[in-house]
């Protein structure tokens, strides 16, 4: 077990120590796990290439720490509670011993299919315990899992399978596990061997495959789980994210199970059969720690307080949010109506690329402020920079968020294209990891995340690249060109606004809109469907041919009073027409 911070004073001491001696600090945490062979050195890094390695020469298998290590003390303890979509279907429970056996059995099934260490396995499954089993079974035999969110379309899955060169997919579960042994020796892995690939959107081109490794990811997810939520032995933890996203990887599967916790997997949605579903599940399963996205909180808040009123949830101890900025109204509602003012809220900022939580309050320890992710965890060294890459020192400042020192679960590469990793994260500012987020640091040194500074839209906590949506929309035969921006949306945080140029006069607008939405759903998935589509005569472009998105953003926000200088545009005359036609 990694160490746990017990007071704000201790946080400050631990933080200072982690900066003064990062290697000593993380070596101490790493030493609490089972290693097949100890590491020879703790860290070797440069952000130039980048080349980042933690626990060099160490040999391990993460699943021995998720499963085998717990068998002595926890074999009968529930590892996974499964709450099916249908509230009348009996929930499932899997003990650590059963999870061990199921993972081994599926690992043997994968081996029988010819899967070996280093092979990529694409997993496209609904939110069932079998998904967690499949993920861990890959790790057990050293195969690299690539989970694709079940809400993505077939085309998106195909893109990800091709990019990762995946070899296995779509067999019938019961057929391939039949007769397989329930034990399977864990493949010995190097600390730096890839554990998984997870695709995420950036500002350009197709989604990129973020790569995380066995050693550092293990140490960091367990440490952050234990500390951020102040996890206490035998508690029930529920993270509502989908396992297809990083939050599900790190805080449904790996973090909680590494810590020996009971993790709840929910198959359904917050509003089925009614908007009281979350609160029912918490009550019924006596959930202690609840971790969800602001978009869900806003949707349930909008459904009215009556869904919460009659549901007592005395088991709740800690509440968390993740994925997007939380607005003040939602924060207070969560605090008062759900937490009854007695549960600390941890607003956790992090990314697919960071592997685990980075800037966050520590539950019950860090004094919170609504909408602030507050302070960095030990080992995390955030800096603010201006457009020239100069560090902004002091408090009461705003800038772009970078991290200047590696932490154990930092992205290692983008699968099959290391240069893309360098370009995206390490080339913008010298010797720094660039997050793509804008941030404010207030007079107390607290961090407040403002949002993306690149062309990524955050819809209901899902990252969507504008370029991806434009590529999809442009497949419509009557559309010549398009530009997509985000705009503030009450429930989703951001909505998608698409401007399109068409070749033919469109007479049936409803039918046209439906065609566009269908194409986006087919190419990417329903989550990327635009909320608004406006037909425009042209796109405002600079003389170098770049779309001036600033103008589109303003119009989408409904703020056309000050569009800034448009005299440098190639075609300033289109702006007035676009303003008039805003939807
Ligand atoms: C945003 C999700 C504000 C941010 C774990 C980041 C947040 C992107 C927060 C990563 C938060 C995440 N407050 N914004 N607490 N957490 N974000 O890769 O813009 O799906 O860059 O990882 O979500 O999204 P991703």
């Amino acid at each position: 077990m990694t160490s746990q911070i017990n007071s704000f004073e201790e946080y400050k001491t631990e933080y200072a120590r982690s900066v003064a001696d990062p290697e000593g600090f993380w070596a101490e945490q790493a030493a609490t796990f089972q290693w097949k062979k100890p590491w020879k050195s703790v860290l070797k890094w440069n952000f130039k290439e980048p080349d980042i390695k933690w626990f060099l020469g160490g040999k391990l298998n993460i699943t021995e720490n998720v499963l085998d290590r717990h068998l002595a003390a926890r074999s009968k303890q529930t590892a996974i509670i499964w709450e099916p979509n249908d509230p009348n279907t009996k929930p499932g429970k899997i003990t650590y011993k059963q999870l061990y056996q199921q993972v081994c059995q599926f690992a043997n099934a994968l081996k029988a299919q010819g899967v070996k260490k280093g092979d990529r396995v694409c997993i496209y499954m609904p939110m069932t315990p079998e998904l967690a089993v499949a993920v861990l079974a890959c790790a057990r035999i050293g195969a690299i899992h690539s989970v694709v969110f079940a809400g993505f379309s077939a085309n998106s899955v195909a893109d990800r399978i091709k990019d990762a060169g995946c070899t296995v997919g779509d067999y019938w579960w019961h057929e391939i596990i039949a007769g397989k042994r329930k034990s399977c020796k864990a493949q010995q892995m190097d600390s730096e061997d890839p554990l998984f690939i997870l695709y995420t959107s950036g500002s350009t081109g197709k989604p990129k495959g973020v790569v995380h490794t066995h050693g550092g990811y293990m140490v960091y997810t367990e440490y952050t789980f234990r500390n951020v939520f102040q996890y206490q032995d035998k508690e029930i933890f529920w993270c509502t994210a989908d396992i297809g996203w990083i939050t599900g990887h790190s805080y449904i599967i790996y973090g909680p199970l590494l810590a020996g916790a009971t993790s709840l997997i929910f198959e359904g949605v917050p509003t089925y059969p009614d908007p009281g579903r979350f609160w029912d599940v918490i009550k019924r399963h006596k959930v202690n720690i609840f971790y969800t996205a602001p978009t869900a909180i806003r949707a349930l808040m909008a459904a009215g307080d009556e869904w919460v009123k009659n549901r007592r949830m005395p088991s709740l101890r800690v509440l968390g949010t993740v994925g997007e900025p939380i607005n003040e109204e939602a924060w207070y509602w969560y605090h008062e109506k759900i937490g009854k003012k007695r549960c600390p809220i941890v607003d956790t900022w992090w990314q697919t690329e960071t592997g685990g939580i980075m800037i966050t309050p520590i539950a019950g320890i860090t004094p919170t402020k609504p909408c602030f992710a507050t302070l960095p965890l030990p080992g995390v060294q955030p800096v603010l920079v201006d457009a020239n890459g100069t560090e902004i020192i002091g408090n009461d400042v705003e800038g772009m968020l970078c991290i200047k020192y590696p932490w154990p679960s930092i992205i290692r590469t983008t699968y099959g294209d290391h240069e893309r990793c360098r370009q995206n994260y390490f080339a913008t500012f010298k010797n720094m990891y660039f997050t793509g987020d804008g941030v404010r640091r207030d007079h107390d040194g607290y961090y407040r995340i403002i949002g993306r500074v690149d062309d990524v839209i955050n819809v209901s906590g899902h990252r969507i690249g504008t370029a991806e949506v434009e590529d999809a929309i442009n497949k419509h035969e009557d559309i010549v060109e398009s530009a997509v921006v985000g705009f503030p949306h009450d429930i989703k945080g951001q909505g998608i606004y698409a401007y399109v140029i068409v070749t033919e006069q469109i007479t049936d607008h409803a039918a046209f809109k439906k065609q566009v939405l269908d194409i986006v759903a087919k190419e990417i998935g329903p989550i990327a469907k635009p909320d608004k589509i406006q037909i425009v005569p042209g796109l405002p472009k600079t003389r170098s041919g770049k779309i001036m998105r600033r103008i589109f953003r303003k119009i989408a926000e409904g703020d056309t009073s000050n569009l800034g200088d448009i005299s440098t545009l190639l075609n300033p005359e289109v702006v007035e027409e676009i303003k008039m036609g805003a939807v």
Side-chain angles (χ1 to χ4, degrees), residues 334-405:
Y334 199 33
H335 183 56
E336 288 163 17
K337 298 289 182 316
I338 307 306
K340 306 285 187 234
K341 297 191 185 168
R342 58 174 185 82
C343 303
I345 295 180
V346 290
D347 174 353
T348 64
W349 173 84
W350 57 295
Q351 308 179 295
T352 305
E353 295 86 346
T354 70
I357 299 169
M358 301 283 282
I359 302 182
T360 179
I362 296 179
I365 286 177
T366 312
T368 54
K369 260 187 225 181
C371 313
F372 279 79
T374 73
L375 297 169
L377 285 174
V380 175
Q381 300 188 32
V383 282
L384 268 64
V385 295
D386 65 18
N388 302 319
T390 311
E391 185 172 341
I392 304 170
I393 316 276
N395 289 342
D396 251 334
V397 287
E398 232 175 80
M400 285 178 275
L401 179 62
C402 293
I403 317 282
K404 70 173 174 195
Y405 198 87

Side-chain angles (χ1 to χ4, degrees), residues 42-118:
V42 180
L43 172 66
K44 189 172 153 277
W45 71 286
N46 74 67
F47 277 173
K48 198 158 162 269
E49 298 173 52
D51 182 16
I52 307 155
K53 293 190 171 75
W54 280 92
F55 312 117
L56 289 85
K59 306 286 177 198
L60 76 159
N61 185 295
I62 194 169
T63 69
E64 287 192 328
N65 288 281
V66 167
L67 300 168
D68 309 49
R69 184 169 66 129
H70 296 316
L71 289 184
R74 303 186 191 278
S75 65
K76 294 202 178 102
Q77 185 195 314
T78 304
I80 291 175
I81 299 174
W82 183 56
E83 172 73 18
N85 177 42
D86 177 359
N88 300 316
T89 304
K90 200 167 165 274
K93 283 194 178 166
I94 302 177
T95 64
Y96 270 93
K97 172 89 178 285
Q98 289 166 334
L99 184 63
Y100 168 86
Q101 291 176 335
Q102 291 184 19
V103 168
C104 286
Q105 196 174 33
F106 196 66
N108 286 325
L110 286 172
K111 277 204 221 166
Q113 302 294 328
V115 181
K116 0 174 251 314
K117 178 177 172 180

